[in-house]
Amino acid sequence: MTNEPPIGTAEILDGIRAWVETESHTADIDGVNALMARVAADYVALDAHAERIPGRDGFAGHLLVRSPWGNGPGILVLSHLDTVHPKGTLARQPFRVDGDIAYGPGIYDMKGGAHLAFYAFRHLVRQGRRTTLPITHLYVSDEEVGSPTSRALIEGQARNAKYVLVTEPAREGGKIVTARKGSARFVVTATGRPAHSGARHEDGRSAIAEMARQILRLEALTDYDRGVTVNVGLVAGGTGVNVVPEACSAEVDVRLPSLALADEMVATVLGLEPFDRDVTVEVT
C-alpha cells in the first residue's frame, strides 16, 4: 500500500475523462465492452476480483467487482456504463471543462458518478483501509434501454446485499433521488390497405394517417400533475411516396410513478382502437 496523495479534482477529472472518451452507446457492443475492460483492469490493479459476464441478445457484457476483503451481505454499488449518445458524438461534443463544470457525452448519466465510486474504492485501498462490510460494484451495459439482460443479475446481487448505492446523478439543485418511476414500452402497429396514390387513392386506407391520429391520442395521455409522461419516440412506415401506406409502426415509452397508474395506463394503451375501422391497430 502507498500513502494517499491529497485528493484533487485533476486526478478525478482525468479518470472521468478517460471513461467519457471511451464511447459506449448501448448499441455499440465493442465500445461498451472496451470500457468494461478498462474498468476491470483498473480494479484488478487494486487487487479486487473482477468478473466479466459475457453479453447476449445483442448487448455488451457486464462487470462484477468484489473487494478483496469481507464475506457475507455487504454494500452493493450499482452503475451502468452505457449511454444514450451514438458513437461519434464525442467528435461533436468533446470532453471539456468550463469553470467548475465538466461536459461530455454520458458524463452526467452516469460516467461521472460511476467513476467517483471507483475513485472512492481506490482511495480506501491507497490508505490501506477496509470497510466493515465487503463491497461489490456491478457495472451493467444495458440500463438505458431498460436492463433487459442485466435485470436478473441486479436483482440477484441486491438480494444478497445489506445496502445498495446507485450512482445515478442527482436532480436539479443536487436533490437526492430516493425513488424512480417505472417504465412501460409498447410497439403500436397499424395495417391499412395499399393503393396507388393517384389512380386508386380512394381504394387505399392509410396506416400512416391512422398512426398520426393514434400518436396525438397517446401524447395527450401525458399528465404532469399525476407524474405520467407518454413519448412516441420512433415511427416508421410506408413503402413509397406514390403509394397509400399499408403499414406503420410506432414505439412508445411511458413513465409511471405508481403501480396503480401503471395498471391504468397499460390497460389504456393496450386497449387502443382504430379511428378508421378499415385499418387494424395492434399493440404489444
Side-chain angles (χ1 to χ4, degrees), residues 190-201:
T191 305
R193 184 189 306 155
H196 191 278
S197 64
R200 307 293 294 182
H201 187 274

Side-chain angles (χ1 to χ4, degrees), residues 11 22-23 31 89 110 129 137:
E11 185 180 18
T22 305
E23 291 188 285
T89 302
M110 63 181 293
R129 297 174 60 190
H137 198 158

Side-chain angles (χ1 to χ4, degrees), residues 1-133:
M1 300 294 182
T2 61
N3 292 329
E4 167 69 356
I7 295 178
T9 57
E11 185 180 18
I12 295 173
L13 280 174
D14 284 346
I16 293 174
R17 178 172 188 162
W19 289 21
V20 169
E21 291 184 342
T22 305
E23 291 188 285
S24 54
H25 181 228
T26 310
D28 179 10
I29 297 175
D30 290 341
V32 179
N33 280 335
L35 184 53
M36 291 286 180
R38 180 184 194 115
V39 176
D42 287 344
Y43 270 105
V44 169
L46 300 171
D47 294 327
H49 174 72
E51 177 186 356
R52 298 286 302 279
I53 299 168
R56 60 180 175 86
D57 302 335
F59 294 97
H62 313 296
L63 172 63
L64 187 64
V65 179
R66 300 188 188 280
S67 63
W69 62 81
N71 294 299
I75 302 166
L76 172 64
V77 183
L78 184 59
S79 306
H80 67 87
L81 292 181
D82 62 317
T83 77
V84 299
H85 303 281
K87 185 176 182 180
T89 302
L90 190 67
R92 303 188 305 275
Q93 301 174 21
F95 179 91
R96 64 185 177 90
V97 178
D98 185 359
D100 61 354
I101 301 176
Y103 299 86
I107 192 170
Y108 184 70
D109 185 10
M110 63 181 293
K111 292 182 179 180
H115 186 272
L116 286 173
F118 162 74
Y119 191 88
F121 181 85
R122 185 166 68 182
H123 182 65
L124 284 172
V125 173
R126 283 174 170 175
Q127 289 188 320
R129 297 174 60 190
R130 295 185 175 188
T131 52
T132 303
L133 299 175

Side-chain angles (χ1 to χ4, degrees), residues 174-229:
K175 295 178 181 178
I176 295 174
V177 178
T178 58
R180 298 300 298 273
K181 289 183 179 180
S183 64
R185 300 285 177 89
F186 303 89
V187 176
V188 183
T189 303
T191 305
R193 184 189 306 155
H196 191 278
S197 64
R200 307 293 294 182
H201 187 274
E202 68 277 11
D203 294 335
R205 298 294 183 269
S206 173
I208 289 179
E210 174 66 34
M211 187 62 72
R213 299 175 75 180
Q214 295 291 349
I215 289 171
L216 293 176
R217 170 188 273 171
L218 287 163
E219 295 278 353
L221 295 173
T222 291
D223 188 335
Y224 296 127
D225 291 337
R226 296 204 299 169
V228 175
T229 57

Side-chain angles (χ1 to χ4, degrees), residues 135 218 264:
I135 297 172
L218 287 163
E264 175 189 332

